[in-house]
Amino acid sequence: GVALWQYGAVAYPRAAVVAQDTVLRGLPTDAQPAGGAPPLAAGALVRVEKDFLGWTAIRLAGGAGGWVRSGELVPVYAAPNA
């Protein structure tokens, strides 16, 4: 209900925190030049949408979305992979 809405992205079961400064890519590939990609600061809280071959599709609180390397995220509600 309303109480969960107030927590925003933290209430989402697949919430994650960006572990290091990176860029938000439009496609899950390193072949795309990172020069024009929007920066994504360490500590940003995101919603994980799906995983694909070492990449994770994410959505920011403002609605922007894109792809980052899966290793650049730390899940909020699950133990990180060792």
Side-chain angles (χ1 to χ4, degrees):
V2 176
L4 285 177
W5 176 80
Q6 292 177 337
Y7 286 101
V10 176
Y12 188 66
R14 294 195 69 198
V17 175
V18 177
Q20 59 191 27
D21 290 344
T22 187
V23 293
L24 191 60
R25 296 179 183 270
L27 298 170
T29 178
D30 286 323
Q32 177 187 16
L40 187 59
L45 185 63
V46 300
R47 290 175 61 152
V48 172
E49 295 189 333
K50 62 182 166 183
D51 300 305
F52 178 74
L53 299 175
W55 291 86
T56 300
I58 61 168
R59 180 105 12 225
L60 300 169
W67 294 87
V68 296
R69 283 279 182 190
S70 299
E72 295 171 337
L73 299 173
V74 177
V76 173
Y77 297 114
N81 294 335

